[in-house]
Amino acid sequence: MSLVGRQMSRSHSTAHHHRQYSDNFLDASKWLQSSSQDFGYGSKMNRSMQSNPSTPPVCSRSSSLRHAGDGQVSPGLLDLHSFDTELLPEMQVGSRYEGYSFDQRSSRGRSFDDSEPNLLAGKVGSRSAKGLPENSLLKSFSASVDKERANNVAKIKVVVRKRPLNRKEKTKKEDDIITIEPNSDALTVHETKLKVDLTEYMEKHEFVFDAVLDEGVSNDEVYAETVQPIVPLIFQRTKATCFAYGQTGSGKTYTMQPLPIKASQDILRLMIHTYRNQGFQLFVSFFEIYGGKLFDLLNDRKKLCMREDGKQQVCIVGLQEYRVFDVETIRELIERGNATRSTGTTGANEESSRSHAILQLVIKRSADGSESKPARVVGKLSFIDLAGSERGADTTDNDKQTRMEGAEINKSLLALKECIRALDSDQGHIPFRGSKLTEVLRDSFVGNSRTVMISCISPSSGSCEHTLNTLRYADRYEDCAK
Ligand SMILES: Nc1ncnc2c1ncn2[C@@H]1O[C@H](COP(=O)(O)OP(=O)(O)OP(=O)(O)O)[C@@H](O)[C@H]1O
């Protein structure tokens, strides 16, 4: 679909940025074969810190912390990608389908609910009662539902979230310069400028995105708008990335932190209900990229190294990956990782992040769904809390360390932008090697992928320049979403 019109001037002082819609969809209509194995998640739901080491059979790097019985944290070492990043061959439709309705609009603001009526199963039941062969009916029905669902989720989605004015900004009597039309996906930045004779005038910058969320929107609603529609797709060989972009203190961490918890809740529900007994396994890993180097946030910031195998798959050697069965464990792992994450102090945010933190939820399954065979990656959901975008401009700071951090952050944010632009324009060459960040994300941008960018903005007049930069960065992504 073509761009509707961009940078349209209004009264010589308004820049208008229009949205374009994403219709570059991929077919993800493959269903996974059922198996008779039951992992008994229910019985494990109440244990604290239930996680298993993920140690592929060929990998002998298990640490002394390996699983020692019920209820113990038991990390194993893993080459995240070296043995298992190859996608499973296409599999047949399962013999039973207990689907939920994943309608994006109706689900806004809430999570999947186990108590919801099983609409799809109900429809199937009534049709098969009329004498149609149940298995073939289920196959075609679930495949078409699946395809429709995949097609309804844009390949690239850009969402803007405005946070409320904080206490400091209110004390300084800073104005809220962002207006958002009710029930619209448009926002306006009101920038105060000076004429040559030093009289003030207002310049309006209008932007339109896939969704614009104002300061009253809850984290649940953010989830419903961004990640929730993607969750079912990762059972269908999709690799998805959700990242937050914005200046320090704009709300990236506030926005990103709840998302993996909510996503894993839904993933586990799908595993327990829709994909019951089909052998899916959920794994969590959490690492950061700081100064161009990788550190494992679930293993005392152990330095990791990245390699590429013969099939150009990226391997993060030594990254610990935990098999998880319940949300509480994931929550504890995330808290542990966050506590380990590199933070520094800036004027805008005491806990400013100078690293990119990457949390991955990986769904695996062995070819026949049994636990005796090595599980391979089916789909992956990566959550990236990017370093503050303005840190990229920290190149004039007195501190050499800060300058170097700024240069590295700048490089990776530019590389990220370039990669998405190149992917979109179908260029043969994707500049993944531009930064560690894009190298790590390589497999999440190719093939059957989904990308959600959440641009976080501060409403205060003092942040106007950064806010405009963030929105322009996001607007370039909009260029890609066609
Ligand atoms: N939508 C929001 N509603 C209420 N408070 C918010 C919101 N967004 C952010 N905040 C608050 O603003 C402060 C800064 O947010 P946060 O740490 O998420 O910023 P950040 O963009 O991650 O910064 P940095 O890049 O420095 O890590 C926090 O105290 C957070 O609780």
Side-chain angles (χ1 to χ4, degrees):
M1 197 173 285
S2 65
L3 192 63
V4 193
R6 314 176 61 78
Q7 296 269 20
M8 192 173 78
S9 286
R10 276 198 188 169
S11 311
H12 306 289
S13 64
T14 302
H16 193 120
H17 304 252
H18 267 287
R19 164 170 66 169
Q20 66 187 127
Y21 297 89
S22 310
D23 57 2
N24 184 14
F25 302 123
L26 290 174
D27 179 356
S29 60
K30 305 295 175 236
W31 284 89
L32 302 173
Q33 206 165 22
S34 69
S35 96
S36 57
Q37 185 145 7
D38 187 347
F39 291 171
Y41 291 105
S43 62
K44 297 177 181 172
M45 290 298 277
N46 295 324
R47 282 199 240 139
S48 68
M49 289 302 282
Q50 286 167 356
S51 54
N52 278 341
S54 159
T55 311
V58 269
C59 176
S60 58
R61 281 184 290 273
S62 309
S63 78
S64 58
L65 287 170
R66 283 198 65 179
H67 193 56
D70 283 357
Q72 290 201 0
V73 186
S74 46
L77 296 184
L78 173 84
D79 288 4
L80 176 61
H81 302 280
S82 53
F83 306 112
D84 53 8
T85 44
E86 253 181 82
L87 290 173
L88 291 163
E90 290 179 8
M91 284 175 281
Q92 286 174 7
V93 177
S95 61
R96 59 191 280 210
Y97 173 63
E98 299 175 15
Y100 288 101
S101 170
F102 287 107
D103 183 89
Q104 290 173 47
R105 291 176 205 286
S106 65
S107 68
R108 188 169 175 155
R110 63 191 168 87
S111 222
F112 303 139
D113 184 353
D114 291 351
S115 65
E116 278 178 23
N118 191 331
L119 299 174
L120 295 174
K123 280 182 195 170
V124 170
S126 64
R127 287 184 66 189
S128 65
K130 289 179 184 167
L132 289 166
E134 191 177 9
N135 203 33
S136 63
L137 179 72
L138 276 166
K139 277 183 190 175
S140 64
F141 181 74
S142 55
S144 69
V145 168
D146 195 22
K147 190 173 175 180
E148 196 183 312
R149 190 182 291 160
N151 285 349
N152 279 333
V153 181
K155 189 154 169 64
I156 298 174
K157 183 169 188 178
V158 184
V159 175
V160 173
R161 185 185 201 185
K162 171 195 175 187
R163 71 155 166 77
L165 280 168
N166 62 30
R167 205 172 339 133
K168 204 166 157 188
E169 290 160 342
K170 282 182 189 159
T171 311
K172 284 166 75 184
K173 298 215 167 11
E174 292 197 24
D175 291 324
D176 179 341
I177 57 160
I178 313 288
T179 52
I180 296 171
E181 302 293 324
N183 303 319
S184 96
D185 298 326
L187 68 81
T188 307
V189 181
H190 305 266
E191 184 185 22
T192 306
K193 294 193 113 178
L194 286 180
K195 288 186 190 165
V196 275
D197 63 1
L198 299 185
T199 51
E200 281 187 0
Y201 70 100
M202 196 68 78
E203 185 166 298
K204 283 202 224 166
H205 305 265
E206 289 186 10
F207 297 84
V208 181
F209 295 98
D210 292 315
V212 174
L213 309 174
D214 68 22
E215 62 271 39
V217 166
S218 68
N219 281 333
D220 277 352
E221 286 169 294
V222 173
Y223 173 67
E225 189 65 59
T226 56
V227 177
Q228 193 175 49
I230 292 173
V231 166
L233 304 185
I234 60 168
F235 286 86
Q236 302 153 35
R237 298 150 44 89
T238 296
K239 292 187 179 174
T241 312
C242 173
F243 60 91
Y245 180 90
Q247 74 175 108
T248 184
S250 59
K252 297 183 299 297
T253 307
Y254 182 89
T255 299
M256 288 304 286
Q257 271 185 1
L259 296 180
I261 306 279
K262 292 177 196 300
S264 52
Q265 228 156 19
D266 285 338
I267 288 170
L268 288 167
R269 281 180 189 166
L270 283 166
M271 284 168 63
I272 291 165
H273 296 276
T274 305
Y275 298 107
R276 187 174 189 82
N277 300 341
Q278 294 192 23
F280 287 106
Q281 303 167 17
L282 176 61
F283 293 84
V284 178
S285 62
F286 198 8
F287 60 99
E288 70 173 350
I289 304 176
Y290 175 76
K293 296 186 178 71
L294 273 65
F295 299 93
D296 194 338
L297 292 175
L298 297 181
N299 189 17
D300 300 325
R301 287 196 84 235
K302 188 180 156 231
K303 200 171 160 199
L304 301 164
C305 77
M306 198 167 63
R307 297 215 186 97
E308 211 177 88
D309 68 13
K311 293 174 188 163
Q312 296 194 317
Q313 294 277 355
V314 174
C315 318
I316 303 176
V317 182
L319 178 67
Q320 275 189 3
E321 206 179 39
Y322 289 81
R323 183 167 174 196
V324 284
F325 299 92
D326 62 282
V327 174
E328 206 37 54
T329 308
I330 295 171
R331 196 189 303 277
E332 287 174 39
L333 288 170
I334 291 173
E335 276 169 19
R336 201 167 104 192
N338 284 333
T340 317
R341 198 179 164 191
S342 304
T343 55
T345 303
T346 67
N349 189 7
E350 299 296 305
E351 291 276 288
S352 173
S353 47
R354 296 167 175 200
S355 67
H356 307 304
I358 302 176
L359 186 130
Q360 295 189 316
L361 299 176
V362 183
I363 292 184
K364 297 186 186 183
R365 186 182 185 271
S366 66
D368 62 1
S370 72
E371 295 232 17
S372 54
K373 303 224 170 97
R376 299 160 92 190
V377 173
V378 174
K380 185 159 67 172
L381 194 43
S382 303
F383 297 89
I384 306 163
D385 185 359
L386 291 170
S389 54
E390 83 302 333
R391 310 282 324 180
D394 265 350
T395 45
T396 53
D397 198 284
N398 289 334
D399 180 4
K400 189 178 169 212
Q401 169 83 358
T402 311
R403 276 203 314 273
M404 282 170 60
E405 280 172 12
E408 191 59 46
I409 291 167
N410 206 17
K411 189 168 108 178
S412 56
L413 296 177
L414 284 172
L416 183 60
K417 190 169 66 187
E418 289 310 313
C419 278
I420 295 195
R421 287 172 77 81
L423 277 167
D424 177 64
S425 54
D426 283 335
Q427 288 174 22
H429 172 67
I430 309 293
F432 288 110
R433 287 180 213 278
S435 73
K436 275 279 184 307
L437 175 68
T438 47
E439 278 186 73
V440 165
L441 292 178
R442 180 184 184 137
D443 67 341
S444 294
F445 283 139
V446 295
N448 193 11
S449 70
R450 293 290 185 280
T451 303
V452 179
M453 176 165 77
I454 307 174
S455 292
C456 296
I457 54 171
S458 151
S460 78
S461 42
S463 299
C464 184
E465 199 184 327
H466 286 312
T467 298
L468 284 170
N469 285 341
T470 297
L471 294 171
R472 286 177 185 136
Y473 186 93
D475 206 39
R476 293 205 182 98
Y477 278 84
E478 285 287 273
D479 282 343
C480 305
K482 64 182 175 215

